[in-house]
Amino acid sequence: MATPPERTAPAPARAATDVNAQLLHALRERDVILENAGVGIVFVKQRTIVRCNQRYAEIYGFDDPLGPIGTSSIAIYPSERDFKQLGAEAYPILATGQTYKTERLMRRRSGELFWCSLTGRLINADDPADGSIWIVDDINEQKQAQSELQTVTHQQRLILDHSMVGIVFLRDRKVTQCNRSFEALFGYAPGELAGSSSRQWYLTDEDWNEAGRRCYEPFSKGLAFEGEMLLRKKDGTAVHCEVRSKAIDPHDLSQGSIWITMDITARKNAESALVRAKDELEHLVDERTQQLKLTVSALQQKVLEQQQAEAHIQQLAHYDSLTGLPNRVLLSDRAHQALEIARRQQEPLALLFLDLDHFKNVNDSLGHRVGDELLALLAQRLKTAVREQDTVSRLGGDEFILVLPGTDAQGAAHVATKVMALAAQAFQIEHNELTVTPSIGIALYPGDGADFDTLCRCADIAMYRAKHDGRNNFRFFTGEMQAQSVRALQLENALRRALEREQLSLHYQPQVCLRTGRVIGAEALLRWQHPELGHVSPAEFIPVAETSGLILPIGEWVLRSAALQLKAWMEAGMAPITISVNLSSVQFRHADLPALVSRILDEARLPPNLLELELTEGVAMVDPLGAIAVMNDLHDRGVRMSIDDFGTGYSSLSYLKKFRIYKLKIDQSFVRDITDDPEDKAIVSAIIGMAASLGLQTIAEGVETAGQLDHLRAMGCDEVQGFHFSRPVPADAFAAFVQAALR
């Protein structure tokens, strides 16, 4: 049987089938969009809902999208008036083909009113009868949150305005806002503190800096600060305050902090009066009944023994693991107890601060294991030097503190001498026989301080004086030391801002060639003029700069300023001369020195042979091999080196001949009496002769008379400088001096 041929649908029919398929596909896509949209979607025509999605039905309280169909869109508004108002606002925008957006109160099916976000657009702007499409979102919770935030903010402002304590918010230690109680506490007018620094309610810069260290350190750990401070009002009056503060966000300290402050001056006065009354009563009781004093003493001793027993149980928390001595925590506890007993019984007390001299050399050369063993052995010896009631503590590193109750100055000196003798005995550690020397500072209660921290600080100051006086010795604290310590701290704080406040300047002293009489160089000398401290001598502030590390930025400024000044003189027509700059030991040991010098010379576009760096022989001889390496590096860069104050130290001629130096500077102490003292004359002649044999130039400083000049010329000295020609002068005066010398 033959198979009938397949029939093919006519072309118009196939086209209609394709269009229907595309229409069905588009309708399915629309339904998917409607059903899965996260917002309500509704089609409105002639004020009647003709289609919506599931989310729209849920928003208005219907079970499914069929529920709202055919209902009037007026029913979803709180009232017909609200519906008409929306239409009046929306229609002019919709009629132009634009989208209309608003937030309105709407009505659910249950009658509940809620806030809603509406976004509408005409389906066909040319024919509004085709209806409109609206996107609806329930924002009721968002509106409630905004309302609550406004309420909380208002309540916060009420708390600030009506609080009886001072409240201030700080950011970068500046006021962002504060309440009236805070302004009134310190005597300021409303709004006067806005944006100002918190420094103004502290008595001194030191108090302000100390508050920053005490208060801001806990903030980063999420902790609050609570304490008492002595602050100042606007009129300068001191006021005792109880202060509580905390960071707003411990993880972001830039958000600032909140401070609550309460005036406790009256309470402090009452407490002081109570303490005085208590002291008077105790004194009266002590006078009238010796038996009571003995009883109290016995009870205190019992308490002390009990505390010591408890401290023994907490060995790990209160004793140094290396030496077995009390650590800082236990030391503080024992010292406070001993001081309290000394105060009540009116007895003396001595505190010794001990630091080993050059202990770092032991660790660096033999290792920390040997250093630790040395500390442990020393600790055992220290314990044999004191009584049972005394305390020997290791503070850390090679520092020890001895607290000696009932000990006066004579007893403290005896213990210090005994400790030095014990330390001087050799220590046998493995195959090494070691000796150490201590420097000891002594502070006495109550003359040097009434509390542990003050006594520690005084003893520490005295210990540094012992080191300064040659080490392996002890010194008692004196008021002069305190003044020097305060002066050093004052200078260090002021010196930290001296550069940026342009308080530093350079003066220049001419250097004259003896053969030609011409100015061939200038020594740059640093000067500091402080608005309150006045002129500060370099001999005073240079050591402070070196110990604090400030000498590095200051030294760089001196090098750069001197180089730029020489370049400016040359551009103004002055013939090229050598500029001399002194280097400190800290600068010379800094690894970046040669590269820094080259950078500065490049910036100033100055030939390196016009720069001469002066270094004292003492600095060079601390590490001769290292000094040779640095000098060679600078020499290879074309920079000249000279040895300053030559003859005052202990130079080794074997190293001197290896130093890549250009010149020796004869110290002014030899030049001063050269016309009268045969020994000085012989020393100067020997230095000049030795320099000539080594191919070095010589320059004598401190030349003040014609007689000194004649002797130096006769001996063959190459160059001179001193008051005979000119004092160190500012740059413009130096240029005038050179110009006058050419006439």
Side-chain angles (χ1 to χ4, degrees), residues 11 33 119 185 467 579:
I33 292 172
T119 303
L185 171 60
K467 285 188 177 294
I579 192 81

Side-chain angles (χ1 to χ4, degrees), residues 8 149 190 196 281 284 494:
T8 302
L149 176 60
S196 62
L281 179 60
L284 180 61

Side-chain angles (χ1 to χ4, degrees), residues 50-67:
V50 297
R51 183 176 179 82
C52 69
N53 66 351
Q54 178 64 32
R55 178 56 184 151
Y56 180 87
E58 292 172 354
I59 289 174
Y60 284 95
F62 293 92
D63 295 332
D64 55 62
L66 298 177

Side-chain angles (χ1 to χ4, degrees), residues 364-382:
D364 292 345
S365 58
L366 301 178
H368 286 274
R369 184 170 56 84
V370 174
D372 289 347
E373 180 66 19
L374 175 60
L375 292 174
L377 292 175
L378 176 64
Q380 296 306 311
R381 293 186 185 181
L382 291 178

Side-chain angles (χ1 to χ4, degrees), residues 510 519 521-522 569 574-575 577 732-743:
V519 176
W569 283 332
M574 182 185 295
I577 60 173
D732 53 351
F734 179 87
F737 176 86
V738 174
Q739 185 65 29
L742 295 175
R743 295 173 184 164

Side-chain angles (χ1 to χ4, degrees), residues 532-718:
E532 297 174 0
L533 303 176
H535 173 72
V536 186
S537 169
E540 186 178 16
F541 74 78
I542 290 298
V544 174
E546 289 181 334
T547 56
S548 65
L550 294 172
I551 193 65
L552 292 177
I554 291 175
E556 180 178 345
W557 177 85
V558 171
L559 276 170
R560 180 172 285 105
S561 299
L564 292 173
Q565 183 59 64
L566 177 56
K567 184 65 175 179
W569 283 332
M570 292 167 58
E571 290 178 346
M574 182 185 295
I577 60 173
T578 301
I579 192 81
S580 299
V581 178
N582 292 282
L583 287 180
S584 74
S585 59
V586 178
Q587 287 178 278
F588 187 69
R589 290 194 298 266
H590 199 273
D592 189 45
L593 174 65
L596 172 65
V597 171
S598 292
R599 287 198 302 272
I600 290 175
L601 289 171
D602 290 341
E603 291 173 11
R605 302 189 304 280
L606 198 67
N609 65 308
L610 296 184
L611 176 62
E612 183 176 302
L613 300 178
E614 296 186 9
L615 187 70
T616 63
E617 57 179 328
V619 172
M621 292 308 300
V622 170
D623 179 13
L625 296 180
I628 290 172
V630 176
M631 289 181 181
N632 287 342
D633 192 346
L634 290 168
H635 182 272
D636 292 341
R637 297 170 187 263
V639 178
R640 294 178 174 180
M641 294 288 299
S642 66
I643 297 297
D644 191 14
D645 299 338
F646 187 78
T648 60
Y650 301 93
S651 295
S652 168
L653 295 181
S654 63
Y655 279 115
L656 182 61
K657 67 181 182 180
K658 296 178 182 179
F659 289 161
R660 302 292 290 273
I661 58 176
Y662 168 76
K663 185 187 299 180
L664 295 181
K665 176 173 278 191
I666 304 170
D667 188 70
Q668 60 182 339
S669 61
F670 301 126
V671 176
R672 183 179 303 112
D673 299 323
I674 193 173
T675 59
D676 304 316
D677 191 330
E679 292 184 356
D680 285 346
K681 186 184 302 182
I683 291 173
V684 173
S685 180
I687 294 174
I688 294 173
M690 180 191 65
S693 65
L694 293 175
L696 303 177
Q697 296 285 307
T698 53
I699 180 171
E701 63 178 353
V703 178
E704 299 183 355
T705 67
Q708 295 169 345
L709 186 64
D710 292 340
H711 276 73
L712 291 168
R713 182 181 289 110
M715 292 177 181
C717 185
D718 299 300

